[in-house]
Amino acid sequence: AQKITQTQPGMFVQEKEAVTLDCTYDTSDPSYGLFWYKQPSSGEMIFLIYQGSYDQQNATEGRYSLNFQKARKSANLVISASQLGDSAMYFCAMKGLDSNYQLIWGAGTKLIIKP
Amino acid sequence: GAVVSQHPSWVICKSGTSVKIECRSLDFQATTMFWYRQFPKQSLMLMATSNEGSKATYEQGVEKDKFLINHASLTLSTLTVTSAHPEDSSFYICSAPSTSDYTDTQYFGPGTRLTVL
């Protein structure tokens, strides 16, 4: 069965520091996609970054990068130079080969950036 | 990225009334949309998959007569909570996969906060 595990319920990080949010996954599909979303207190889900299972390089989007370690089945999100506006819930999700677009979601990590 | 709107943003209603929530893809067509429910401090829970031109597919445990879904066009899906009760109070959020690239990234509406008195 497919599963996403986020082991950090919450994190406090000092402003301007880098932060790594952990995500491990379990799937038997040879092809899959991994996503990270940000959910601020307003509730909207904001797409941050995508990593395909066959992508050779780690995905990057501005201050966001994905540390993809396929053998370890991990897809950690790295936020560089954190800002107060980064305070939010962060969810890791996975799409399988024949999932009809459905996503499997992690429990989320609440990130709080301290000034 | 693709834009999905959702209306209303929040609604307060009396017990026993029905509430309709709209989800629109603004700049792309969506043959499939998803409806989620989210309780405080929890992850998203998929309620149903909305399919344009056909019946929705409901997840196990979701009452299809309670949560009516209509995917009337390629840009609009609606969720109607019928005879709402306080236990239906929650945050409801929809999403649609953008088919403009190979990633099938889902884009979300801003969500609807429902409070049933």
Side-chain angles (χ1 to χ4, degrees):
Chain A
Q2 295 180 322
K3 187 178 180 181
I4 292 284
T5 302
Q6 294 180 255
T7 57
Q8 307 153 310
M11 289 185 69
F12 284 91
V13 173
Q14 200 70 37
E15 189 181 9
K16 299 182 183 178
E17 289 184 352
V19 57
T20 298
L21 304 180
D22 295 341
C23 173
T24 58
Y25 60 92
D26 190 16
T27 182
S28 56
D29 286 342
S31 177
Y32 50 89
L34 296 157
F35 302 82
W36 277 93
Y37 287 86
K38 172 185 179 181
Q39 187 178 39
S41 57
S42 58
E44 59 186 315
M45 293 287 285
I46 303 167
F47 165 67
L48 296 178
I49 196 166
Y50 167 86
Q51 180 81 44
S53 58
Y54 290 119
D55 293 342
Q56 295 296 317
Q57 293 188 330
N58 288 342
T60 60
E61 288 287 348
R63 293 187 299 113
Y64 304 108
S65 61
L66 203 151
N67 184 3
F68 182 47
Q69 298 189 39
K70 195 170 182 177
R72 295 184 178 183
K73 292 189 174 180
S74 74
N76 299 339
L77 177 69
V78 179
I79 306 174
S80 62
S82 59
Q83 303 171 356
L84 296 179
D86 294 333
S87 295
M89 282 290 291
Y90 288 81
F91 292 97
C92 181
M94 175 173 65
K95 179 178 76 74
L97 187 61
D98 293 316
S99 61
N100 190 28
Y101 306 115
Q102 284 189 21
L103 294 176
I104 306 299
W105 293 90
T109 296
K110 186 172 179 63
L111 175 64
I112 297 175
I113 307 298
K114 299 183 293 182
Chain B
V3 180
V4 176
S5 70
Q6 194 171 333
H7 177 80
S9 299
W10 58 269
V11 58
I12 301 173
C13 68
K14 292 183 178 180
S15 185
T17 60
S18 294
V19 175
K20 179 185 283 189
I21 303 170
E22 292 186 349
C23 179
R24 294 181 185 271
S25 56
L26 297 186
D27 53 358
F28 66 103
Q29 294 183 332
T31 56
T32 300
M33 291 184 175
F34 297 97
W35 287 97
Y36 294 89
R37 183 173 181 176
Q38 187 179 31
F39 293 102
K41 299 183 180 180
Q42 292 189 22
S43 188
L44 299 180
M45 182 181 73
L46 179 66
M47 298 175 64
T49 302
S50 174
N51 304 298
E52 190 269 336
S54 64
K55 291 183 179 180
T57 305
Y58 290 83
E59 295 301 300
Q60 191 173 7
V62 178
E63 300 175 60
K64 57 185 67 176
D65 295 332
K66 174 74 164 176
F67 300 99
L68 299 179
I69 290 172
N70 183 26
H71 200 136
S73 74
L74 288 172
T75 58
L76 173 64
S77 175
T78 60
L79 168 68
T80 301
V81 183
T82 62
S83 186
H85 288 93
E87 58 266 29
D88 299 323
S89 298
S90 192
F91 186 67
Y92 295 88
I93 191 166
C94 69
S95 72
S98 173
T99 53
S100 63
D101 61 44
Y102 68 97
T103 68
D104 298 330
T105 297
Q106 284 193 31
Y107 292 91
F108 285 79
T112 298
R113 205 164 296 277
L114 170 64
T115 301
V116 185
L117 302 176

